[in-house]
Amino acid sequence: MSIKLKNATFLIKKQLYQELNFEIKDQETKTILYSEVAQSNNFKKILQGYYPLQAGSFKVDGYDMVNKNWTKRKVANITPGDKLIKKWPEKLWMYGSLLVNSAFYANAKENYLDAKYSHLNLASSKNNQTDLEMRNNVEEIVDKFVKTSIEIETNWLDEFFEQISAFNNKSIDESGDAFDPRMKVIIKDYYKLSEKTRNLVLMETFLESLWDKVYSFLDLNSACSCEYNAKRSKQRSEKKLAKELAFHQQSYVIRKRLKIIDIHVRQTKRQIYRNNFVIKSLNKQILKSVFKSHKRKLKHINELFQWNEISRDQRFEFKKKQEKMYYDALSDEANTIRGKIVERMHRYHNNLLNGEIEKGNPQEFKEQVQSLKTKIQTVYQQAGQWIDDTIKELQISFGFIKTTFKWSVLNTVYFKFLQAMYLKKDNLVFSDIFSKLSNSEAQELLQATEILKNCQTKTSVIFLEDELSNVPKLEKPIYLLSAGQIVPKTLGEIIIQHWDDFGAKFLAGKNKIKYTYENKHLKIGDKKMKIEDFELEPAGVLVLDPSKLYLSKKDFKGDYISIEVTETKIKNYLDKNLRSFIDQQGNKYLVLSSEPVDKKIKIYITKAALLKFN
């Protein structure tokens, strides 16, 4: 999802930060570089909500940080390290993490019920194609009724939510200077979530009412006299048909739909419970702030605003319209649907009594029944399949262990990575990962995070590293955690401004070249370049910015010095676009470029590449 720190300060005993400003949005990846372990540890704790906010703003997934437990459910801190796992708990933990995901569980349960009742419905038709056609028609009628009703209700609730939210936000903005901008944002979040939750309560009531209407489709015997007449018929052949004339064919269709509605009801209740937890925490946070700033002790936020009465009146009027929908419109539509079901089944009864029944191919029917039976998967089986599919989709080399032993670092990272996905933690923070992995393992992990961001578009990824060589994308801004701040910097700025912490180790003796300077001209070897922007010592050593060295003249403008080089193998650097070269004098260079080159390679040194001289 997203994390946003704006002028944020926190209540930490050993205050290591000034005002923090940092933002990461959906589908973004950012790298934070640090030199002090204490600052890194505190920053990770800040992201997980360990420290209370003193001033400024800290938003996670669009909401101001509520408390530690809430924030930890949104942010996953993934660290390396071996982990001793036994064979049976390993699968149990992975499946358990996935089953906690209410969206997956509801979907898996719905899939199971759909497959199970589709199989039972087909098997109970006993290869009677006329009967099966009637059942399919009834299922189509009921499904359309349920889906259309839910769609209409959802649209009504969404429209009212937009209307009431706009009113609430406007009223909060017009409350003057009673609250600072940060507190107004939190109050808006409170009312926004409160209105959402009230809508969920209405949706729950609607679904329960819908369940009652669908349940009424089970008992339709009194609507048709065919069974009654057959039982009392003097013709033996007609009496034998009495059981088939009973209204039981729709049973599996209706019960399947009832169980699926029940899943949606339970899911809605769980969401209401989670929202109420956040609402309660937000209310507490607001009242605490009001007491500090205004010395007023209140029981509830609603005591602060008179306009809230108007908002409640709007909600009351909307609720009355909803009740009319539950008890009148929905009932009328259900009666219409009941009539359609009876009419379709009565038509089948006439076909049955007149001997107009079509039987299917016994072998084909048997194969169809068996095929549907094999599609029935329990929730646990679907969890296993989901895990396997996820691993395959992410293209990661993760496998369940066969015996009890210590996992590799990569397996541990993937285990935590998958757990975070299944627990719907969309904000992933990888801490000091790449130094523990080989280059190929690190590239595989980077690829997996990119695939995940494309599949789950609310994902954001932060890499927290202590070495510049472990930054995956050196051409992008690198966020430096230093001197109590988080500041975006370029590769060249970090090398020159933080030479002792990062630059010297990153270059490792490369990108240093001797020069002479005379009459506004820089001379390297036998090549010259005019320098008028700044003065240099008569002679010394230059340090070159890898991101400002080029392999093609079309990539830059201005003066340059070219040097013939040969490409060499590169190790211990994560960015795939960082390349290594050596010239005839033995000088080594790092160049950040994806430019294809011929056998004869030249490096072009521009003025912008000159970082340091002595």
Side-chain angles (χ1 to χ4, degrees), residues 223-251:
C224 178
S225 61
C226 291
E227 180 189 11
Y228 177 83
N229 293 335
K231 283 181 178 179
R232 282 154 181 76
S233 175
K234 294 181 180 181
Q235 296 181 21
R236 184 174 296 181
S237 59
E238 192 170 325
K239 275 190 174 183
K240 287 182 179 180
L241 297 174
K243 285 185 178 181
E244 294 187 50
L245 293 172
F247 272 76
H248 64 81
Q249 288 91 344
Q250 86 281 20
S251 175

PDB file of all heavy atoms in Angstrom, residues 223-251:
ATOM      1  N   ALA A 223     -47.235 -24.557  -4.004  1.00  0.00           N
ATOM      2  CA  ALA A 223     -47.490 -23.732  -5.195  1.00  0.00           C
ATOM      3  C   ALA A 223     -47.890 -24.561  -6.410  1.00  0.00           C
ATOM      4  O   ALA A 223     -48.274 -24.007  -7.441  1.00  0.00           O
ATOM      5  CB  ALA A 223     -46.253 -22.893  -5.515  1.00  0.00           C
ATOM      6  N   CYS A 224     -47.785 -25.887  -6.319  1.00  0.00           N
ATOM      7  CA  CYS A 224     -48.094 -26.736  -7.471  1.00  0.00           C
ATOM      8  C   CYS A 224     -48.803 -28.002  -6.962  1.00  0.00           C
ATOM      9  O   CYS A 224     -48.358 -28.613  -5.990  1.00  0.00           O
ATOM     10  CB  CYS A 224     -46.823 -27.091  -8.217  1.00  0.00           C
ATOM     11  SG  CYS A 224     -47.085 -28.174  -9.632  1.00  0.00           S
ATOM     12  N   SER A 225     -49.866 -28.408  -7.614  1.00  0.00           N
ATOM     13  CA  SER A 225     -50.672 -29.555  -7.164  1.00  0.00           C
ATOM     14  C   SER A 225     -50.286 -30.856  -7.866  1.00  0.00           C
ATOM     15  O   SER A 225     -50.952 -31.877  -7.676  1.00  0.00           O
ATOM     16  CB  SER A 225     -52.160 -29.256  -7.395  1.00  0.00           C
ATOM     17  OG  SER A 225     -52.405 -29.043  -8.782  1.00  0.00           O
ATOM     18  N   CYS A 226     -49.255 -30.854  -8.673  1.00  0.00           N
ATOM     19  CA  CYS A 226     -48.899 -32.035  -9.463  1.00  0.00           C
ATOM     20  C   CYS A 226     -48.588 -33.235  -8.578  1.00  0.00           C
ATOM     21  O   CYS A 226     -49.053 -34.359  -8.841  1.00  0.00           O
ATOM     22  CB  CYS A 226     -47.699 -31.730 -10.369  1.00  0.00           C
ATOM     23  SG  CYS A 226     -48.087 -30.560 -11.694  1.00  0.00           S
ATOM     24  N   GLU A 227     -47.804 -33.036  -7.529  1.00  0.00           N
ATOM     25  CA  GLU A 227     -47.440 -34.143  -6.641  1.00  0.00           C
ATOM     26  C   GLU A 227     -48.691 -34.685  -5.933  1.00  0.00           C
ATOM     27  O   GLU A 227     -48.887 -35.904  -5.832  1.00  0.00           O
ATOM     28  CB  GLU A 227     -46.402 -33.681  -5.617  1.00  0.00           C
ATOM     29  CG  GLU A 227     -45.975 -34.794  -4.654  1.00  0.00           C
ATOM     30  CD  GLU A 227     -45.126 -34.280  -3.523  1.00  0.00           C
ATOM     31  OE1 GLU A 227     -45.025 -33.046  -3.342  1.00  0.00           O
ATOM     32  OE2 GLU A 227     -44.565 -35.115  -2.785  1.00  0.00           O
ATOM     33  N   TYR A 228     -49.526 -33.782  -5.444  1.00  0.00           N
ATOM     34  CA  TYR A 228     -50.758 -34.171  -4.731  1.00  0.00           C
ATOM     35  C   TYR A 228     -51.670 -34.991  -5.648  1.00  0.00           C
ATOM     36  O   TYR A 228     -52.190 -36.042  -5.261  1.00  0.00           O
ATOM     37  CB  TYR A 228     -51.459 -32.907  -4.246  1.00  0.00           C
ATOM     38  CG  TYR A 228     -52.774 -33.161  -3.559  1.00  0.00           C
ATOM     39  CD1 TYR A 228     -52.825 -33.506  -2.204  1.00  0.00           C
ATOM     40  CD2 TYR A 228     -53.979 -33.062  -4.277  1.00  0.00           C
ATOM     41  CE1 TYR A 228     -54.041 -33.736  -1.583  1.00  0.00           C
ATOM     42  CE2 TYR A 228     -55.188 -33.299  -3.670  1.00  0.00           C
ATOM     43  CZ  TYR A 228     -55.216 -33.637  -2.312  1.00  0.00           C
ATOM     44  OH  TYR A 228     -56.421 -33.885  -1.695  1.00  0.00           O
ATOM     45  N   ASN A 229     -51.832 -34.530  -6.868  1.00  0.00           N
ATOM     46  CA  ASN A 229     -52.708 -35.228  -7.819  1.00  0.00           C
ATOM     47  C   ASN A 229     -52.154 -36.600  -8.192  1.00  0.00           C
ATOM     48  O   ASN A 229     -52.906 -37.570  -8.350  1.00  0.00           O
ATOM     49  CB  ASN A 229     -52.900 -34.384  -9.082  1.00  0.00           C
ATOM     50  CG  ASN A 229     -53.669 -33.107  -8.819  1.00  0.00           C
ATOM     51  OD1 ASN A 229     -54.449 -33.036  -7.857  1.00  0.00           O
ATOM     52  ND2 ASN A 229     -53.463 -32.088  -9.646  1.00  0.00           N
ATOM     53  N   ALA A 230     -50.853 -36.688  -8.348  1.00  0.00           N
ATOM     54  CA  ALA A 230     -50.228 -37.959  -8.727  1.00  0.00           C
ATOM     55  C   ALA A 230     -50.396 -39.005  -7.639  1.00  0.00           C
ATOM     56  O   ALA A 230     -50.637 -40.189  -7.912  1.00  0.00           O
ATOM     57  CB  ALA A 230     -48.746 -37.745  -9.028  1.00  0.00           C
ATOM     58  N   LYS A 231     -50.246 -38.571  -6.364  1.00  0.00           N
ATOM     59  CA  LYS A 231     -50.376 -39.505  -5.242  1.00  0.00           C
ATOM     60  C   LYS A 231     -51.791 -40.094  -5.179  1.00  0.00           C
ATOM     61  O   LYS A 231     -51.979 -41.227  -4.742  1.00  0.00           O
ATOM     62  CB  LYS A 231     -50.049 -38.798  -3.936  1.00  0.00           C
ATOM     63  CG  LYS A 231     -48.552 -38.592  -3.710  1.00  0.00           C
ATOM     64  CD  LYS A 231     -48.299 -37.900  -2.373  1.00  0.00           C
ATOM     65  CE  LYS A 231     -46.809 -37.736  -2.114  1.00  0.00           C
ATOM     66  NZ  LYS A 231     -46.552 -37.050  -0.830  1.00  0.00           N
ATOM     67  N   ARG A 232     -52.780 -39.320  -5.601  1.00  0.00           N
ATOM     68  CA  ARG A 232     -54.158 -39.767  -5.517  1.00  0.00           C
ATOM     69  C   ARG A 232     -54.694 -40.275  -6.865  1.00  0.00           C
ATOM     70  O   ARG A 232     -55.880 -40.566  -6.991  1.00  0.00           O
ATOM     71  CB  ARG A 232     -55.036 -38.620  -4.995  1.00  0.00           C
ATOM     72  CG  ARG A 232     -54.876 -38.469  -3.479  1.00  0.00           C
ATOM     73  CD  ARG A 232     -55.162 -37.052  -3.011  1.00  0.00           C
ATOM     74  NE  ARG A 232     -54.968 -36.953  -1.578  1.00  0.00           N
ATOM     75  CZ  ARG A 232     -53.764 -36.900  -1.007  1.00  0.00           C
ATOM     76  NH1 ARG A 232     -52.681 -36.966  -1.740  1.00  0.00           N
ATOM     77  NH2 ARG A 232     -53.651 -36.812   0.317  1.00  0.00           N
ATOM     78  N   SER A 233     -53.833 -40.372  -7.819  1.00  0.00           N
ATOM     79  CA  SER A 233     -54.250 -40.862  -9.143  1.00  0.00           C
ATOM     80  C   SER A 233     -54.524 -42.372  -9.097  1.00  0.00           C
ATOM     81  O   SER A 233     -53.883 -43.108  -8.345  1.00  0.00           O
ATOM     82  CB  SER A 233     -53.158 -40.564 -10.168  1.00  0.00           C
ATOM     83  OG  SER A 233     -53.498 -41.136 -11.409  1.00  0.00           O
ATOM     84  N   LYS A 234     -55.467 -42.822  -9.886  1.00  0.00           N
ATOM     85  CA  LYS A 234     -55.796 -44.245  -9.955  1.00  0.00           C
ATOM     86  C   LYS A 234     -54.858 -44.997 -10.900  1.00  0.00           C
ATOM     87  O   LYS A 234     -54.833 -46.222 -10.898  1.00  0.00           O
ATOM     88  CB  LYS A 234     -57.247 -44.412 -10.401  1.00  0.00           C
ATOM     89  CG  LYS A 234     -58.244 -43.891  -9.389  1.00  0.00           C
ATOM     90  CD  LYS A 234     -59.673 -44.097  -9.864  1.00  0.00           C
ATOM     91  CE  LYS A 234     -60.681 -43.573  -8.849  1.00  0.00           C
ATOM     92  NZ  LYS A 234     -62.089 -43.778  -9.277  1.00  0.00           N
ATOM     93  N   GLN A 235     -54.108 -44.214 -11.683  1.00  0.00           N
ATOM     94  CA  GLN A 235     -53.169 -44.848 -12.604  1.00  0.00           C
ATOM     95  C   GLN A 235     -51.843 -45.113 -11.880  1.00  0.00           C
ATOM     96  O   GLN A 235     -51.227 -44.199 -11.323  1.00  0.00           O
ATOM     97  CB  GLN A 235     -52.928 -43.938 -13.816  1.00  0.00           C
ATOM     98  CG  GLN A 235     -54.166 -43.703 -14.658  1.00  0.00           C
ATOM     99  CD  GLN A 235     -53.880 -42.819 -15.852  1.00  0.00           C
ATOM    100  OE1 GLN A 235     -52.743 -42.688 -16.267  1.00  0.00           O
ATOM    101  NE2 GLN A 235     -54.946 -42.248 -16.414  1.00  0.00           N
ATOM    102  N   ARG A 236     -51.418 -46.386 -11.899  1.00  0.00           N
ATOM    103  CA  ARG A 236     -50.197 -46.781 -11.188  1.00  0.00           C
ATOM    104  C   ARG A 236     -48.969 -46.062 -11.758  1.00  0.00           C
ATOM    105  O   ARG A 236     -48.080 -45.661 -11.003  1.00  0.00           O
ATOM    106  CB  ARG A 236     -50.032 -48.290 -11.284  1.00  0.00           C
ATOM    107  CG  ARG A 236     -48.837 -48.812 -10.492  1.00  0.00           C
ATOM    108  CD  ARG A 236     -48.780 -50.325 -10.493  1.00  0.00           C
ATOM    109  NE  ARG A 236     -49.933 -50.889  -9.818  1.00  0.00           N
ATOM    110  CZ  ARG A 236     -50.135 -52.193  -9.662  1.00  0.00           C
ATOM    111  NH1 ARG A 236     -49.258 -53.061 -10.191  1.00  0.00           N
ATOM    112  NH2 ARG A 236     -51.213 -52.640  -9.030  1.00  0.00           N
ATOM    113  N   SER A 237     -48.919 -45.904 -13.080  1.00  0.00           N
ATOM    114  CA  SER A 237     -47.758 -45.259 -13.698  1.00  0.00           C
ATOM    115  C   SER A 237     -47.600 -43.810 -13.240  1.00  0.00           C
ATOM    116  O   SER A 237     -46.496 -43.305 -13.058  1.00  0.00           O
ATOM    117  CB  SER A 237     -47.891 -45.306 -15.221  1.00  0.00           C
ATOM    118  OG  SER A 237     -49.075 -44.646 -15.633  1.00  0.00           O
ATOM    119  N   GLU A 238     -48.751 -43.166 -13.027  1.00  0.00           N
ATOM    120  CA  GLU A 238     -48.704 -41.774 -12.578  1.00  0.00           C
ATOM    121  C   GLU A 238     -48.327 -41.686 -11.104  1.00  0.00           C
ATOM    122  O   GLU A 238     -47.599 -40.772 -10.686  1.00  0.00           O
ATOM    123  CB  GLU A 238     -50.061 -41.113 -12.826  1.00  0.00           C
ATOM    124  CG  GLU A 238     -50.036 -39.602 -12.666  1.00  0.00           C
ATOM    125  CD  GLU A 238     -51.310 -38.953 -13.156  1.00  0.00           C
ATOM    126  OE1 GLU A 238     -51.899 -39.439 -14.152  1.00  0.00           O
ATOM    127  OE2 GLU A 238     -51.716 -37.956 -12.523  1.00  0.00           O
ATOM    128  N   LYS A 239     -48.765 -42.642 -10.305  1.00  0.00           N
ATOM    129  CA  LYS A 239     -48.409 -42.670  -8.880  1.00  0.00           C
ATOM    130  C   LYS A 239     -46.906 -42.806  -8.677  1.00  0.00           C
ATOM    131  O   LYS A 239     -46.331 -42.238  -7.763  1.00  0.00           O
ATOM    132  CB  LYS A 239     -49.137 -43.819  -8.177  1.00  0.00           C
ATOM    133  CG  LYS A 239     -50.537 -43.494  -7.721  1.00  0.00           C
ATOM    134  CD  LYS A 239     -51.080 -44.595  -6.823  1.00  0.00           C
ATOM    135  CE  LYS A 239     -52.431 -44.182  -6.262  1.00  0.00           C
ATOM    136  NZ  LYS A 239     -52.946 -45.210  -5.328  1.00  0.00           N
ATOM    137  N   LYS A 240     -46.276 -43.604  -9.553  1.00  0.00           N
ATOM    138  CA  LYS A 240     -44.829 -43.818  -9.439  1.00  0.00           C
ATOM    139  C   LYS A 240     -44.034 -42.516  -9.647  1.00  0.00           C
ATOM    140  O   LYS A 240     -42.901 -42.392  -9.194  1.00  0.00           O
ATOM    141  CB  LYS A 240     -44.374 -44.862 -10.458  1.00  0.00           C
ATOM    142  CG  LYS A 240     -44.774 -46.283 -10.116  1.00  0.00           C
ATOM    143  CD  LYS A 240     -44.239 -47.245 -11.166  1.00  0.00           C
ATOM    144  CE  LYS A 240     -44.606 -48.684 -10.827  1.00  0.00           C
ATOM    145  NZ  LYS A 240     -44.096 -49.642 -11.844  1.00  0.00           N
ATOM    146  N   LEU A 241     -44.677 -41.600 -10.343  1.00  0.00           N
ATOM    147  CA  LEU A 241     -43.981 -40.339 -10.642  1.00  0.00           C
ATOM    148  C   LEU A 241     -44.116 -39.300  -9.527  1.00  0.00           C
ATOM    149  O   LEU A 241     -43.539 -38.205  -9.616  1.00  0.00           O
ATOM    150  CB  LEU A 241     -44.513 -39.738 -11.947  1.00  0.00           C
ATOM    151  CG  LEU A 241     -44.292 -40.563 -13.222  1.00  0.00           C
ATOM    152  CD1 LEU A 241     -45.002 -39.897 -14.386  1.00  0.00           C
ATOM    153  CD2 LEU A 241     -42.807 -40.710 -13.499  1.00  0.00           C
ATOM    154  N   ALA A 242     -44.868 -39.653  -8.466  1.00  0.00           N
ATOM    155  CA  ALA A 242     -45.153 -38.675  -7.407  1.00  0.00           C
ATOM    156  C   ALA A 242     -43.880 -38.110  -6.780  1.00  0.00           C
ATOM    157  O   ALA A 242     -43.760 -36.899  -6.523  1.00  0.00           O
ATOM    158  CB  ALA A 242     -46.035 -39.312  -6.336  1.00  0.00           C
ATOM    159  N   LYS A 243     -42.886 -38.985  -6.524  1.00  0.00           N
ATOM    160  CA  LYS A 243     -41.648 -38.528  -5.885  1.00  0.00           C
ATOM    161  C   LYS A 243     -40.906 -37.517  -6.778  1.00  0.00           C
ATOM    162  O   LYS A 243     -40.334 -36.542  -6.289  1.00  0.00           O
ATOM    163  CB  LYS A 243     -40.739 -39.709  -5.584  1.00  0.00           C
ATOM    164  CG  LYS A 243     -41.196 -40.544  -4.400  1.00  0.00           C
ATOM    165  CD  LYS A 243     -40.168 -41.620  -4.082  1.00  0.00           C
ATOM    166  CE  LYS A 243     -40.602 -42.430  -2.861  1.00  0.00           C
ATOM    167  NZ  LYS A 243     -39.609 -43.478  -2.524  1.00  0.00           N
ATOM    168  N   GLU A 244     -40.908 -37.789  -8.068  1.00  0.00           N
ATOM    169  CA  GLU A 244     -40.205 -36.883  -8.982  1.00  0.00           C
ATOM    170  C   GLU A 244     -40.967 -35.577  -9.186  1.00  0.00           C
ATOM    171  O   GLU A 244     -40.400 -34.585  -9.651  1.00  0.00           O
ATOM    172  CB  GLU A 244     -39.977 -37.564 -10.330  1.00  0.00           C
ATOM    173  CG  GLU A 244     -39.024 -38.756 -10.265  1.00  0.00           C
ATOM    174  CD  GLU A 244     -38.687 -39.286 -11.640  1.00  0.00           C
ATOM    175  OE1 GLU A 244     -38.315 -38.469 -12.507  1.00  0.00           O
ATOM    176  OE2 GLU A 244     -38.813 -40.502 -11.849  1.00  0.00           O
ATOM    177  N   LEU A 245     -42.247 -35.564  -8.838  1.00  0.00           N
ATOM    178  CA  LEU A 245     -43.050 -34.345  -8.971  1.00  0.00           C
ATOM    179  C   LEU A 245     -42.962 -33.448  -7.749  1.00  0.00           C
ATOM    180  O   LEU A 245     -43.512 -32.344  -7.737  1.00  0.00           O
ATOM    181  CB  LEU A 245     -44.509 -34.713  -9.239  1.00  0.00           C
ATOM    182  CG  LEU A 245     -44.790 -35.391 -10.586  1.00  0.00           C
ATOM    183  CD1 LEU A 245     -46.230 -35.888 -10.646  1.00  0.00           C
ATOM    184  CD2 LEU A 245     -44.508 -34.433 -11.736  1.00  0.00           C
ATOM    185  N   ALA A 246     -42.267 -33.930  -6.708  1.00  0.00           N
ATOM    186  CA  ALA A 246     -42.050 -33.098  -5.522  1.00  0.00           C
ATOM    187  C   ALA A 246     -41.044 -32.000  -5.852  1.00  0.00           C
ATOM    188  O   ALA A 246     -40.185 -32.157  -6.718  1.00  0.00           O
ATOM    189  CB  ALA A 246     -41.536 -33.956  -4.373  1.00  0.00           C
ATOM    190  N   PHE A 247     -41.156 -30.883  -5.153  1.00  0.00           N
ATOM    191  CA  PHE A 247     -40.262 -29.750  -5.409  1.00  0.00           C
ATOM    192  C   PHE A 247     -38.946 -29.957  -4.653  1.00  0.00           C
ATOM    193  O   PHE A 247     -38.693 -29.339  -3.620  1.00  0.00           O
ATOM    194  CB  PHE A 247     -40.927 -28.433  -4.966  1.00  0.00           C
ATOM    195  CG  PHE A 247     -41.773 -27.811  -6.028  1.00  0.00           C
ATOM    196  CD1 PHE A 247     -43.029 -28.330  -6.315  1.00  0.00           C
ATOM    197  CD2 PHE A 247     -41.324 -26.720  -6.752  1.00  0.00           C
ATOM    198  CE1 PHE A 247     -43.816 -27.759  -7.295  1.00  0.00           C
ATOM    199  CE2 PHE A 247     -42.110 -26.150  -7.738  1.00  0.00           C
ATOM    200  CZ  PHE A 247     -43.364 -26.666  -8.011  1.00  0.00           C
ATOM    201  N   HIS A 248     -38.098 -30.820  -5.153  1.00  0.00           N
ATOM    202  CA  HIS A 248     -36.807 -31.057  -4.510  1.00  0.00           C
ATOM    203  C   HIS A 248     -35.644 -30.774  -5.456  1.00  0.00           C
ATOM    204  O   HIS A 248     -34.492 -30.668  -5.028  1.00  0.00           O
ATOM    205  CB  HIS A 248     -36.716 -32.504  -4.013  1.00  0.00           C
ATOM    206  CG  HIS A 248     -36.762 -33.517  -5.121  1.00  0.00           C
ATOM    207  ND1 HIS A 248     -35.660 -33.837  -5.880  1.00  0.00           N
ATOM    208  CD2 HIS A 248     -37.793 -34.262  -5.619  1.00  0.00           C
ATOM    209  CE1 HIS A 248     -35.984 -34.741  -6.795  1.00  0.00           C
ATOM    210  NE2 HIS A 248     -37.282 -35.012  -6.659  1.00  0.00           N
ATOM    211  N   GLN A 249     -35.918 -30.663  -6.744  1.00  0.00           N
ATOM    212  CA  GLN A 249     -34.836 -30.498  -7.715  1.00  0.00           C
ATOM    213  C   GLN A 249     -34.049 -29.201  -7.492  1.00  0.00           C
ATOM    214  O   GLN A 249     -32.867 -29.126  -7.802  1.00  0.00           O
ATOM    215  CB  GLN A 249     -35.377 -30.521  -9.151  1.00  0.00           C
ATOM    216  CG  GLN A 249     -35.841 -31.899  -9.612  1.00  0.00           C
ATOM    217  CD  GLN A 249     -37.317 -32.122  -9.330  1.00  0.00           C
ATOM    218  OE1 GLN A 249     -37.913 -31.386  -8.540  1.00  0.00           O
ATOM    219  NE2 GLN A 249     -37.907 -33.126  -9.958  1.00  0.00           N
ATOM    220  N   GLN A 250     -34.715 -28.171  -6.962  1.00  0.00           N
ATOM    221  CA  GLN A 250     -34.025 -26.895  -6.759  1.00  0.00           C
ATOM    222  C   GLN A 250     -33.226 -26.847  -5.474  1.00  0.00           C
ATOM    223  O   GLN A 250     -32.524 -25.857  -5.192  1.00  0.00           O
ATOM    224  CB  GLN A 250     -35.037 -25.743  -6.789  1.00  0.00           C
ATOM    225  CG  GLN A 250     -35.728 -25.427  -5.466  1.00  0.00           C
ATOM    226  CD  GLN A 250     -36.871 -26.378  -5.136  1.00  0.00           C
ATOM    227  OE1 GLN A 250     -36.940 -27.481  -5.671  1.00  0.00           O
ATOM    228  NE2 GLN A 250     -37.754 -25.952  -4.274  1.00  0.00           N
ATOM    229  N   SER A 251     -33.297 -27.915  -4.673  1.00  0.00           N
ATOM    230  CA  SER A 251     -32.706 -27.900  -3.329  1.00  0.00           C
ATOM    231  C   SER A 251     -31.213 -27.573  -3.338  1.00  0.00           C
ATOM    232  O   SER A 251     -30.752 -26.685  -2.622  1.00  0.00           O
ATOM    233  CB  SER A 251     -32.939 -29.256  -2.654  1.00  0.00           C
ATOM    234  OG  SER A 251     -32.284 -29.293  -1.401  1.00  0.00           O
TER     235      SER A 251
END
